[in-house]
Amino acid sequence: MEPKINLAARVKQIKPSPTLAVNAKAKALKAAGADILNFSVGEPDFDTPDHVRAAGKAAIDDGFTRYTAVPGIPELREAIARRFAEDHGWQYTPEQIQVSCGGKHGLYNMAQALFGPGDEVLVLAPYWVSYPDIIQLAGATPVIVPLTEEKDFDLEIEVLVKYVTDKTRGIIINSPSNPTGSVFSREALEAIGKLALEHNWVIITDDIYDTITYNDGKLPHILDVNPALIDQTLVLNGVSKSFAMTGWRIGYTAGPQHIISAMNKIQSQSTSNPSSIAQKAALAAVSGPQDFPTVMKEAFEPRLDYILNALAAIEGVTCVKPSGAFYVFPNISAYYGRTFNGKKIEGSLDMADYLLNEYKIAAVPGVAFGADRFIRFSFATSMDVIEDGMKRFAEALGRLE
Ligand code: PMP
Ligand code: GLU
C-alpha cells in the first residue's frame, strides 16, 4: 500500500551512509552466529584512552550534564586553538572554532551555512561517502572530479579545471584520504590554492586522518603551502579517529569568523551543543598527551604491510600504497565479468555481495566512493582477522570463472 504521507524531495536524492550500512549488516550477521570478518567500517579497534574516559566519567559525577554554549565550552575551543597553534602555527581565536556532534556534523553545518541551489562544489573521487549527500542536502550540486590510480590518486590540475564553471563555490579536500589513504602533493595543493584565490572558492580541508600517516616527514597542508588562504579555508578535524572516540561524537571546525558564526546559528537551531560529557572527554584528549595516535599507528603499520603483501600476491589486483588513514583500496576490476555459479560479477556491489555471502568478508564496494573498480578494506581490525580475511579474499577471487 502507498504510504499516506509523502517524504520531502531532498530525502529521495540521498542514500543512507553505505559504510555504516555495510557495518550494520556485518554486525547483524555476526550476532546471528555467522563467522564474519568485518573490514567495513572505518573506526580504530582501540578503546578510548583511560585519561579521556576518566574525564567523561568525572563530567557525569560532577554534574556537568546541562546545556553548554552552542559552539562548545570555551575551554575546549581554547584547547583546540592551542592545538592548531602548536601543531601548525595557525592562529585561531576560540570564536573561530565550532565544536560539533562529530566531524560529519561539522561538514553538514558548513554545507548548510555556505551552499544552496545553483551552487557547485568540487568533490574529488574516490571521495568519502558522505560528501556528495551532505552537499545535496544543502540543495547544492556535487561535481565529481576523477583522480586516478596511475597518479597515486593525487590531483591533476589539468583535469580539475575541466570541471570548473562560474557556479563553482568551493572544493573539499581530504588528505590523507578515505578511502585511498593517499595524500595530496605540495604541487597539487599549490594549484588548488591558486585557483581558489583566483575564483574566491571556499576550501574545506578534511584533516580527520592527519595524525595517522605512514610517511616520514610532514604531511603537506594547504594552509602551510599557501597561508594567504586562511580567510577562505575551513579546517575540519575531530577526536573520532585520533583518539578512538567514534561513539562520543565530537568534531571541530576552524575558519573565518563569519562562517563559524553562521554554522553556530545552524547548530543552535538543530542540535544545540554537542554532549557536555563528550566535550569534557574531548578536552582531555586535545589538551593531554598526544602520543595515542602514534601508538595506534605503530599497531596499524605491520597490518598495512601484511595486507599490501597479501594483495600484491593476488594476480590482477593492484593497490596504491596508502600514506595515511587505515584503509586499502585495491583495484579488483580484473575480476569483473567473471562468474560464480553462473552469476556474473558486474561491478563492486556484486563483488562485495559475493565476498559477504560466500566468504563472510565484509568490505565496502568502491562504487560508494565513486570508484566502481575498487573495494575498500579497513585494516583497523586485528591481525588474525586480516590474515584470515586476506586468505579468504584470495580464495574467493581465485574461484571466479
Ligand atoms: N571525514 C572522513 C574522511 C571520515 O572518514 C570520517 C569518518 N567517519 C569523518 C569525516 C567523520 O567522522 P566523525 O563524524 O565520526 O567524527
Ligand atoms: N568514516 C567511517 C568510514 O568511512 C565511518 C562511517 C561513516 O561515518 O560513514 O567507514
Side-chain angles (χ1 to χ4, degrees):
M1 202 176 71
E2 274 289 297
K4 255 187 167 167
I5 307 294
N6 285 330
L7 300 175
R10 80 176 72 84
V11 178
K12 295 178 192 155
Q13 284 183 343
I14 62 162
K15 55 187 182 316
S17 163
T19 42
L20 296 180
V22 179
N23 189 44
K25 191 168 171 187
K27 279 188 169 166
L29 287 168
K30 200 163 185 162
D35 158 38
I36 298 287
L37 301 179
N38 191 356
F39 292 91
S40 66
V41 80
E43 66 178 337
D45 59 325
F46 280 80
D47 288 329
T48 304
D50 287 345
H51 71 285
V52 175
R53 288 194 281 176
K57 287 182 203 161
I60 297 175
D61 291 341
D62 295 347
F64 194 73
T65 51
R66 304 188 180 208
Y67 293 133
T68 74
V70 166
I73 51 176
E75 56 269 45
L76 176 55
R77 284 181 285 137
E78 278 157 22
I80 293 165
R82 270 200 305 277
R83 221 9 339 107
F84 282 131
E86 273 170 34
D87 294 349
H88 292 274
W90 305 332
Q91 301 303 325
Y92 288 108
T93 64
E95 292 69 38
Q96 288 181 285
I97 289 165
Q98 179 189 67
V99 182
S100 52
C101 308
K104 190 184 280 182
H105 183 222
L107 289 164
Y108 179 82
N109 285 341
M110 286 176 211
Q112 293 292 319
L114 289 165
F115 308 129
D119 293 338
E120 295 179 353
V121 184
L122 299 167
V123 174
L124 312 171
Y127 48 74
W128 179 47
V129 293
S130 292
Y131 296 151
D133 299 70
I134 287 174
I135 293 165
Q136 277 176 310
L137 278 172
T141 306
V143 173
I144 310 300
V145 181
L147 307 175
T148 65
E149 184 184 12
E150 292 71 30
K151 301 276 178 195
D152 288 349
F153 300 111
D154 198 10
L155 179 71
E156 295 168 81
I157 208 73
E158 56 286 7
V159 176
L160 179 78
V161 291
K162 292 189 198 146
Y163 294 84
V164 175
T165 72
D166 55 5
K167 294 186 184 143
T168 309
R169 292 277 327 281
I171 182 167
I172 305 188
I173 56 179
N174 175 217
S175 176
S177 145
N178 176 3
T180 66
S182 291
V183 300
F184 288 125
S185 63
R186 182 165 272 278
E187 295 70 40
L189 296 172
E190 258 164 24
I192 295 171
K194 205 161 157 253
L195 282 171
L197 284 170
E198 214 172 285
H199 299 286
N200 268 344
W201 294 344
V202 62
I203 296 173
I204 296 170
T205 170
D206 179 346
D207 301 346
I208 205 108
Y209 295 103
D210 68 348
T211 53
I212 302 167
T213 61
Y214 306 108
N215 285 350
D216 298 334
K218 228 175 152 234
L219 184 67
H221 193 281
I222 194 148
L223 281 182
D224 298 333
V225 169
N226 193 340
L229 293 165
I230 191 98
D231 294 331
Q232 60 198 84
T233 299
L234 288 165
V235 176
L236 177 85
N237 215 314
V239 290
S240 295
K241 315 289 166 166
S242 47
F243 285 90
M245 292 177 69
T246 46
W248 295 80
R249 310 309 302 133
I250 295 288
Y252 48 85
T253 304
Q257 172 80 70
H258 73 290
I259 304 179
I260 298 295
S261 298
M263 290 167 61
N264 291 342
K265 204 162 29 164
I266 286 163
Q267 186 151 293
S268 82
Q269 292 293 17
S270 48
T271 59
S272 305
N273 60 275
S275 152
S276 58
I277 299 152
Q279 287 190 67
K280 283 285 189 181
L283 175 60
V286 173
S287 55
Q290 296 299 302
D291 52 352
F292 189 70
T294 312
V295 171
M296 285 196 293
K297 189 181 95 164
E298 279 165 7
F300 292 151
E301 249 157 358
R303 302 177 191 175
L304 171 60
D305 285 345
Y306 184 92
I307 215 166
L308 284 175
N309 284 332
L311 291 171
I314 306 175
E315 208 191 311
V317 172
T318 52
C319 187
V320 171
K321 184 176 187 293
S323 299
F326 34 70
Y327 309 104
V328 284
F329 200 54
N331 183 335
I332 48 163
S333 60
Y335 289 85
Y336 295 173
R338 300 197 191 181
T339 57
F340 170 73
N341 274 354
K343 185 176 179 320
K344 205 186 224 175
I345 305 284
E346 308 265 17
S348 62
L349 271 178
D350 287 347
M351 184 64 92
D353 277 349
Y354 166 63
L355 292 174
L356 188 58
N357 297 336
E358 301 300 324
Y359 285 87
K360 308 287 175 267
I361 298 171
V364 187
V367 70
F369 307 91
D372 194 36
R373 292 184 299 140
F374 303 80
I375 192 158
R376 190 191 79 174
F377 293 91
S378 160
F379 54 88
T381 184
S382 75
M383 199 62 162
D384 285 349
V385 167
I386 292 171
E387 285 178 9
D388 197 4
M390 286 299 107
K391 255 185 234 123
R392 288 192 204 178
F393 182 53
E395 211 182 300
L397 292 183
R399 197 158 150 213
L400 293 172
E401 293 172 342

